[in-house]
Amino acid sequence: MLEKQRDSGAHWSWSDIARFVITLLASRLGRRGPFFLSHLITGRCNCNCPTCLWRDNEAYELETSVIERLYRGAKEAGFVANAIWGGEPLLRQDLGQLCHSSRENGMITIMITNGLFLSDRAQEIGKEVHCIIVSLDYPESKDHDSFRGMPGLFAKAVEGIEALKRMNSPKKIVINCLLHRGNENMMRQMADLARSLGVSLWVCPAKEGILRETGETNKEVLASRESEQQVAKELLDLKKKGYPINNSRTYLERYLLNMTPYVCRAPFAFVTVTPEGNVTNCFNYDKPYGNVRTSPFDEIMKTWDRREVVRSTKGC
């Protein structure tokens, strides 16, 4: 029976979509808490990106059984989606098993990867997730590999995308382009790359912070606010011309262009679990709600207080 379920793969069913939309509306109306799990499944990474705030090759990551228990708890707490990332998730040998566990617990499952090992493990991972997001920051290999500190990475990532396309699984494949000072004039080329590969493009500005592994700031490599706004205008134009741009008009106009006031709702929808198992949000990273090594996730989520989130994120 298990093998039959594995062979069937992960699909976007109308019931999945309806459940997600109903849960989203309930969250926006204040009738429930977070429903989207953001799980850093490892801190380890084989790249050395100067923008990365999450790499931690010494992190004491959770065992397979603890993560499977986390996903069962997420189901009990009413979570309907799970983004698995890191670090580089494909460094975990049990990733296929964990993606399967996420899907079996009723969550729309997304995996984010730098793509180095994607072609090697496409058969194992592709059918267990609903969406794979591949990080590509430049439209060609020289600059991309140099920026991420990994020779051959661009070619392997493209090879992985092509392998997934041949499998036709998952149905949704996205290139995630992290916008920074080095690639701010390359959005048309990135859109061309996405279209040539038959996938969509999401552009996400790198955010200022302290690199977890080194304690250094990434401020020097960030794009300017003016560059972000110029990119938003370009993406809106490309979207109008039919390019596969995943960013919504609302995001581009309200957030990047600041045409109307933008209120961040992420803390009301998302909860992050770190490689060590801490359950956190963007405003209380140093004061987690609890740790899934010692407490069930659904029990931890009972301490989530909407009034505290409103108070802590006011003006964010």
Side-chain angles (χ1 to χ4, degrees):
M1 182 64 179
L2 178 59
E3 286 305 312
K4 186 177 291 185
Q5 288 173 334
R6 284 182 181 272
D7 291 343
S8 67
H11 302 289
W12 300 94
S13 68
W14 284 111
S15 61
D16 288 334
I17 296 170
R19 187 162 59 98
F20 186 88
V21 171
I22 290 169
T23 307
L24 173 61
L25 291 174
S27 178
R28 291 298 297 269
L29 294 172
R31 290 200 293 266
R32 62 153 297 153
F35 57 89
F36 201 124
L37 182 64
S38 173
H39 185 200
L40 285 82
I41 205 165
T42 181
R44 292 178 289 143
C45 191
N46 39 24
C47 292
N48 192 30
C49 311
T51 50
C52 181
L53 303 176
W54 302 104
R55 183 179 65 251
D56 184 356
N57 286 296
E58 302 300 323
Y60 178 36
E61 61 195 43
L62 300 175
E63 298 83 357
T64 305
S65 60
V66 178
I67 294 175
E68 290 181 321
R69 187 178 68 203
L70 160 64
Y71 293 163
R72 291 194 297 270
K75 177 182 180 180
E76 291 298 318
F79 279 64
V80 297
N82 179 24
I84 296 173
W85 57 300
E88 171 48 47
L90 285 169
L91 288 175
R92 287 197 63 131
Q93 294 306 305
D94 59 355
L95 183 62
Q97 178 180 346
L98 295 175
C99 289
H100 179 73
S101 174
S102 175
R103 176 166 70 88
E104 286 294 285
N105 280 291
M107 290 186 286
I108 295 171
T109 302
I110 302 157
M111 196 266 289
I112 306 172
T113 175
N114 62 34
L116 185 64
F117 299 130
L118 187 54
S119 60
D120 300 329
R121 301 184 66 183
Q123 290 288 337
E124 175 192 358
I125 304 298
K127 292 182 179 181
E128 298 292 358
V129 299
H130 299 84
C131 174
I132 287 182
I133 300 175
V134 183
S135 297
L136 287 173
D137 301 322
Y138 289 88
E140 46 74 37
S141 60
K142 181 180 177 182
D143 288 335
H144 181 73
D145 295 356
S146 174
F147 181 76
R148 290 191 167 242
M150 177 56 65
L153 178 61
F154 181 89
K156 289 294 290 182
V158 170
E159 182 183 327
I161 291 172
E162 291 172 338
L164 293 171
K165 293 290 289 185
R166 288 193 296 271
M167 290 169 52
N168 197 31
S169 186
K171 297 290 185 182
K172 183 72 172 176
I173 304 170
V174 180
I175 288 175
N176 178 62
C177 176
L178 194 66
L179 176 64
H180 56 85
R181 187 166 294 179
N183 66 0
E184 53 198 6
N185 297 317
M186 299 182 181
M187 293 306 106
R188 174 62 181 263
Q189 296 96 312
M190 291 302 303
D192 284 334
L193 173 65
R195 188 158 68 174
S196 71
L197 291 171
V199 302
S200 57
L201 173 69
W202 167 265
V203 179
C204 179
K207 296 304 177 186
E208 182 178 351
I210 303 298
L211 281 66
R212 198 173 189 216
E213 190 171 58
T214 65
E216 299 173 351
T217 179
N218 65 354
K219 189 173 182 178
E220 292 301 315
V221 295
L222 301 181
S224 66
R225 184 71 182 119
E226 293 74 19
S227 293
E228 289 182 354
Q229 292 176 323
Q230 184 57 44
V231 164
K233 293 175 183 177
E234 186 171 8
L235 291 175
L236 284 166
D237 182 60
L238 290 169
K239 199 175 180 74
K240 189 183 299 183
K241 291 177 179 177
Y243 277 85
I245 306 299
N246 242 24
N247 302 84
S248 68
R249 293 188 64 88
T250 300
Y251 172 85
L252 294 171
E253 292 174 350
R254 291 190 183 179
Y255 179 61
L256 287 189
L257 282 177
N258 199 28
M259 291 173 62
T260 57
Y262 181 85
V263 179
C264 179
R265 306 296 299 179
F268 298 91
F270 289 82
V271 162
T272 296
V273 176
T274 68
E276 304 92 338
N278 287 331
V279 181
T280 71
N281 219 316
C282 51
F283 61 87
N284 69 340
Y285 192 81
D286 295 329
K287 296 179 180 178
Y289 298 116
N291 188 288
V292 297
R293 286 188 191 277
T294 56
S295 302
F297 179 75
D298 48 320
E299 291 296 320
I300 292 173
M301 287 310 301
K302 290 178 181 178
T303 67
W304 188 88
D305 186 342
R306 190 177 193 89
R307 289 170 299 181
E308 178 196 3
V309 178
V310 171
R311 184 171 60 253
S312 299
T313 59
K314 190 174 182 180
C316 180

